[in-house]
Amino acid sequence: MPVSTRCARSAAKRDAILDAACAVFLEQGYAAASMDAVAARAGVSKATIYAHFTDKDDLFGAVIRARCERNRTFAPVGPALDARATLTMVGRRLLELLLQPDTLAVYRLVTAEAPRQPELARAFYESGPGTGKAEIARMLVDLGRRGLLAVEDPWRMADLFTGMLRADLFMRTLLGLPQPEGSSIDQAVAAAVDTMLRAFAPSPAGAAG
Amino acid sequence: MPVSTRCARSAAKRDAILDAACAVFLEQGYAAASMDAVAARAGVSKATIYAHFTDKDDLFGAVIRARCERNRTFAPVGPALDARATLTMVGRRLLELLLQPDTLAVYRLVTAEAPRQPELARAFYESGPGTGKAEIARMLVDLGRRGLLAVEDPWRMADLFTGMLRADLFMRTLLGLPQPEGSSIDQAVAAAVDTMLRAFAPSPAGAAG
DNA sequence: GTCTATAGCCAGATAGAC
DNA sequence: GTCTATCTGGCTATAGAC
């Protein structure tokens, strides 16, 4: 059997372990997840896991980092739209991503383990909230250049916008609570976008709003 | 020995257990916290803990509920101030509370365990974010009545305001990351308040902003 | 690299005396 | 109610054959 085939087999098992570990960690949490469960789900023996990863922490780190890499592509904005359309599109895409069960599970895991694994917390922030914020800031700069929005400090504005997007909807979903009547992604996005437009409308006469 | 003394002794031990458990859970997380550690810290035996609480889950629930009760008093607003002063005062108090290490630790604990303990998550939400939101909505209604702010939907406005307050500062602190230069509570509050005032300034001529 | 089997440990929960 | 001592189970990690 050629070496490449052996390597491919081994890499395939490694991937299977990573996938299984991801599922188990996300479902059960770090401490409650057992290496037995991961092995069973991956269809390998526990010893095989320890051949690929030094210990549970190492496996956990690999899982989180892999997920962070995957979410890096937050996509370009597309054609030139007006301020409302741009903010709405980006806002909805961000909020939909944030509310996905997997995203929430990773968020729970990383925040819970952050005090014990600060390096992992940093990697998560940079690949998640960090890049998201940078994307939004870039979009705001673009809107500012085109005279569609009064943009002084794009980073702070990105903070304000993402903060408004999350607001209560994110918290309730994170906690697994039922959403109250009349609470939807579209409405949350619309409220945030409206507020941004009202607060940062460009001043045609040069007067401050 | 009179009954009341025995009861008092027992209640004192119960409180000691709750305090110790709170510290251990907040420091180590739910799963990593051991009943031995709680017993040692409380100065009692493990058996005594099980005389007061049926199991670890029960103890955990009691700890979280006790903390929730304590934070219920979010205090009245005080004298009648203008919109900026009121928003700034309330905003700073809320953000300072949110960024306290203990508050963050409880947040990490509850969100991590929410999928497994939905009832606890609900209790946390109602005594924490829920009452905070209600307080702020009430304050907004007051500002609206006094003609200092254009308040249509106070609950949604409360969402937007608290969302902007948290924004990046909360996330970074939650993850234990160092704060970037020029990032402070005062600045975060000022940015959120400015945005609120710009977006929801009362319209003297009755025209919509 | 991969398996089976197991070492070694630690934590949650209990028994029984007082 | 409170203690000491212990049971029991599951977990991480490894040894050794292939």
Side-chain angles (χ1 to χ4, degrees):
Chain A
M1 189 189 292
V3 172
S4 64
T5 305
R6 262 210 312 268
C7 287
R9 251 203 241 294
S10 182
K13 291 229 170 187
R14 193 192 151 93
D15 285 349
I17 293 169
L18 274 176
D19 284 350
C22 183
V24 174
F25 280 130
L26 262 53
E27 279 170 21
Q28 319 221 6
Y30 175 74
S34 77
M35 298 297 264
D36 283 284
V38 174
R41 188 152 190 159
V44 302
S45 75
K46 250 195 306 187
T48 302
I49 299 180
Y50 283 97
H52 286 271
F53 304 93
T54 68
D55 57 10
K56 192 179 176 181
D57 264 16
D58 184 38
L59 177 59
F60 181 66
V63 165
I64 298 299
R65 278 172 230 277
R67 274 206 77 88
C68 287
E69 284 303 314
R70 215 184 306 170
N71 274 2
R72 250 179 210 288
T73 55
F74 191 50
V77 171
L81 302 168
D82 68 12
R84 180 179 296 276
T86 305
L87 288 172
T88 301
M89 201 180 70
V90 171
R92 180 185 286 123
R93 206 172 50 200
L94 177 60
L95 192 50
E96 280 173 351
L97 173 64
L98 287 178
L99 296 182
Q100 277 174 21
D102 279 9
T103 307
L104 293 169
V106 172
Y107 177 84
R108 285 190 204 101
L109 271 178
V110 174
T111 54
E113 293 302 313
R116 263 90 49 194
Q117 312 226 23
E119 184 49 38
L120 202 61
R122 200 187 55 80
F124 168 78
Y125 177 85
E126 287 181 3
S127 75
T131 52
K133 188 175 159 184
E135 287 277 344
I136 293 192
R138 211 172 307 149
M139 171 205 72
L140 291 171
V141 168
D142 183 56
L143 287 176
R145 285 208 182 113
R146 288 159 60 205
L148 300 175
L149 211 61
V151 179
E152 273 189 34
D153 184 341
W155 283 34
R156 192 172 285 285
M157 275 179 68
D159 272 2
L160 295 170
F161 185 45
T162 54
M164 285 192 287
L165 281 173
R166 246 174 289 151
D168 206 42
L169 187 54
F170 179 78
M171 177 79 78
R172 293 190 73 99
T173 312
L174 181 65
L175 291 174
L177 305 181
Q179 297 307 325
E181 293 277 332
S183 165
S184 70
I185 289 185
D186 282 349
Q187 286 181 358
V189 172
V193 170
D194 280 345
T195 308
M196 290 291 285
L197 291 175
R198 292 170 71 147
F200 302 107
S203 43
Chain B
M1 187 188 293
V3 172
S4 64
T5 304
R6 261 212 311 271
C7 286
R9 251 203 242 292
S10 183
K13 292 229 170 188
R14 193 190 151 94
D15 285 349
I17 293 169
L18 274 177
D19 284 349
C22 183
V24 173
F25 280 131
L26 262 53
E27 280 171 19
Q28 319 221 7
Y30 175 74
S34 78
M35 299 296 265
D36 283 286
V38 174
R41 190 155 188 154
V44 302
S45 75
K46 252 197 302 187
T48 302
I49 299 180
Y50 284 96
H52 286 270
F53 305 93
T54 67
D55 57 9
K56 192 178 176 182
D57 264 15
D58 185 37
L59 177 58
F60 181 65
V63 165
I64 299 298
R65 278 171 231 277
R67 274 206 78 86
C68 288
E69 284 304 315
R70 214 184 308 170
N71 274 2
R72 249 179 213 285
T73 53
F74 193 50
V77 171
L81 301 168
D82 67 11
R84 180 179 296 276
T86 305
L87 288 172
T88 300
M89 200 181 69
V90 172
R92 179 184 288 123
R93 206 172 48 200
L94 177 59
L95 193 50
E96 278 172 353
L97 173 64
L98 288 178
L99 296 182
Q100 276 174 21
D102 278 10
T103 308
L104 293 169
V106 172
Y107 177 84
R108 285 191 204 101
L109 272 178
V110 174
T111 54
E113 294 302 313
R116 264 111 19 212
Q117 312 227 24
E119 185 48 39
L120 201 60
R122 199 188 56 79
F124 168 77
Y125 177 85
E126 286 180 4
S127 74
T131 52
K133 187 175 159 182
E135 287 278 345
I136 292 191
R138 210 172 308 148
M139 170 204 72
L140 291 171
V141 168
D142 183 57
L143 287 176
R145 283 208 183 114
R146 290 159 59 204
L148 300 175
L149 211 59
V151 179
E152 275 191 32
D153 184 342
W155 283 34
R156 191 171 287 284
M157 274 177 67
D159 273 3
L160 296 170
F161 186 45
T162 54
M164 286 192 287
L165 280 174
R166 245 175 288 151
D168 206 43
L169 188 55
F170 179 77
M171 177 78 79
R172 293 190 73 100
T173 312
L174 180 66
L175 292 174
L177 305 180
Q179 296 307 326
E181 292 279 330
S183 165
S184 69
I185 290 185
D186 282 348
Q187 286 181 358
V189 172
V193 170
D194 280 344
T195 308
M196 289 292 284
L197 292 175
R198 292 171 71 146
F200 302 106
S203 43

